């Protein structure tokens, strides 16, 4: 059984049908990417999956449970967490305070000290910035903090919404390396990306969303060589 199964998802903002028919699966241990132009409905899908937006039609199953319509808090406690687009960290709080807030939603039995040590090892820059206000961090540091904060809830599956958006190329590389390391730690990843090349380099499989629907899916290798993907997203005419 897949870890995440999204079936015929539809989501609207009032009269606007942002997501019409999104279906996808993520198996435990995979890195899966969702590609598509601005406004295709990727962020809306992720938000509906974690209960931040109401599911109008369709089903979301996670880890053997139907989670459609459940509260975000409950979904996070089940082990499904979203790092939203735009690095929504708490700017007036310190790095440490941001991470403690992330831990507030974690399930029972967590060894807080071990988790903290793991975060400091994964994100050494955050260790050096521990007492600094999050709003004073660079864009790349804020993105690392946003991911670290999500990890404090000990997710089985992490949804990442455009983690490389607006970052310098060297920082983008760091973020993609980090995603690969997370998989090594047993965390399954679903990542929405505009950096199609790099996303397909780290992903096992991918989906292409257009006009609110999944129009193409395949292995990363298949998508890389798909004329449709090359034409639309890779600048190969
Ligand atoms: P992006 O990369 O720009 O975030 P996306 O693929 O994630 O693109 P969504 O943000 O999910 O796309 O947007 C899908 C559609 O829903 C777009 O047409 C967008 O204009 C619309 N939309 C998004 N948020 C809202 C909102 N709060 N109210 C009304 N319409 C919205």
């Amino acid at each position: 059984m897949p870890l995440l199964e999204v079936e015929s998802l539809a989501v609207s903002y009032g009269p606007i049908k942002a997501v019409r028919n999104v279906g996808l699966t993520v198996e435990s241990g995979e890195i899966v990417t969702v590609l598509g132009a601005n406004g295709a409905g990727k962020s809306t899908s992720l938000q509906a999956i974690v209960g931040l937006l109401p599911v109008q039609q369709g089903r979301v199953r996670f880890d053997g449970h139907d989670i459609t319509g459940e509260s975000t808090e409950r979904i996070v406690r089940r082990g499904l967490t979203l790092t939203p687009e735009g690095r929504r960290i708490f700017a007036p709080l310190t790095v440490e305070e941001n991470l403690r807030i992330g831990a507030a939603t974690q399930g029972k039995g967590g060894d807080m000290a071990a988790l903290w040590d793991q975060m400091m090892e994964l994100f050494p820059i955050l260790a050096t910035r521990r007492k600094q206000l999050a709003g004073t961090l660079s864009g790349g540091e804020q993105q690392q903090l946003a991911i670290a904060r999500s990890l404090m809830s000990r997710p089985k599956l992490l949804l990442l919404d455009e983690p490389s958006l607006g970052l310098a190329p060297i920082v983008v590389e760091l973020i993609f390396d980090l995603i690969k390391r997370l998989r090594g730690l047993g965390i399954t990843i679903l990542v929405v990306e505009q950096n199609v090349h790099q996303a397909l380099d780290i992903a096992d499989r991918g989906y292409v969303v257009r006009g609110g629907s999944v129009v193409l899916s395949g292995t990363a290798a298949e998508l890389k060589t798909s004329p449709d993907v090359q034409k639309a997203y890779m600048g190969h005419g």
Side-chain angles (χ1 to χ4, degrees):
M1 191 194 300
L3 183 58
L4 177 72
E5 187 172 14
V6 177
E7 200 184 303
S8 312
L9 182 70
V11 187
S12 293
Y13 298 100
I16 302 166
K17 285 195 172 188
V19 173
R20 292 165 184 274
N21 186 11
V22 165
L24 55 86
T25 59
V26 181
E27 300 285 342
S28 197
E30 279 190 312
I31 298 179
V32 175
T33 188
V34 177
L35 310 171
N38 282 339
K42 307 179 301 295
S43 299
T44 303
S45 298
L46 294 189
Q47 288 174 55
I49 290 168
V50 300
L52 288 169
L53 287 171
V55 170
Q56 195 178 30
Q57 271 170 46
R59 290 264 144 232
V60 183
R61 286 189 198 83
F62 176 69
D63 206 13
H65 302 274
D66 185 339
I67 62 164
T68 322
E70 284 190 354
S71 71
T72 303
E73 196 193 344
R74 190 166 166 77
I75 292 171
V76 170
R77 267 196 264 115
R78 288 190 185 280
L80 173 53
T81 298
L82 167 68
T83 307
E85 186 181 333
R87 331 189 248 279
R88 306 230 180 86
I89 42 101
F90 299 105
L93 301 184
T94 65
V95 165
E96 183 169 348
E97 287 163 344
N98 268 273
L99 291 177
R100 292 204 182 282
I101 288 171
T105 48
Q106 79 173 272
K108 291 190 285 271
D111 179 347
M112 187 58 202
L115 184 59
W116 181 268
D117 289 348
Q118 193 183 29
M119 286 310 117
M120 295 303 109
E121 200 186 313
L122 272 172
F123 304 93
I125 193 71
L126 298 182
T128 68
R129 302 266 193 272
R130 193 168 171 163
K131 301 288 177 197
Q132 201 168 314
L133 296 183
T136 66
L137 301 178
S138 72
E141 291 163 357
Q142 289 188 9
Q143 183 61 68
Q144 291 179 70
L145 177 58
I147 296 172
R149 193 180 59 188
S150 296
L151 294 176
M152 293 299 280
S153 68
R154 299 177 186 278
K156 291 182 188 130
L157 173 60
L158 181 63
L159 309 183
L160 291 169
D161 195 355
E162 299 206 22
S164 76
L165 191 71
L167 301 180
I170 189 151
V171 187
V172 171
E173 222 156 278
L174 189 147
I175 297 289
F176 278 102
D177 278 349
L178 180 73
I179 294 172
K180 284 193 283 188
R181 285 182 70 192
L182 293 181
R183 187 231 297 262
L185 296 174
I187 300 167
T188 303
I189 311 260
L190 179 66
V191 58
V192 164
E193 258 302 332
Q194 302 266 343
N195 271 315
V196 173
H197 266 297
Q198 275 154 305
L200 289 175
D201 276 346
I202 61 161
D204 300 298
R205 294 187 299 113
Y207 294 86
V208 177
V209 178
R210 192 174 299 151
S213 300
V214 169
V215 294
L216 191 64
S217 66
T219 64
E222 284 165 355
L223 291 180
K224 262 188 218 174
T225 55
S226 148
D228 204 25
V229 171
Q230 294 201 343
K231 191 167 165 214
Y233 309 109
M234 290 180 153
H236 294 176

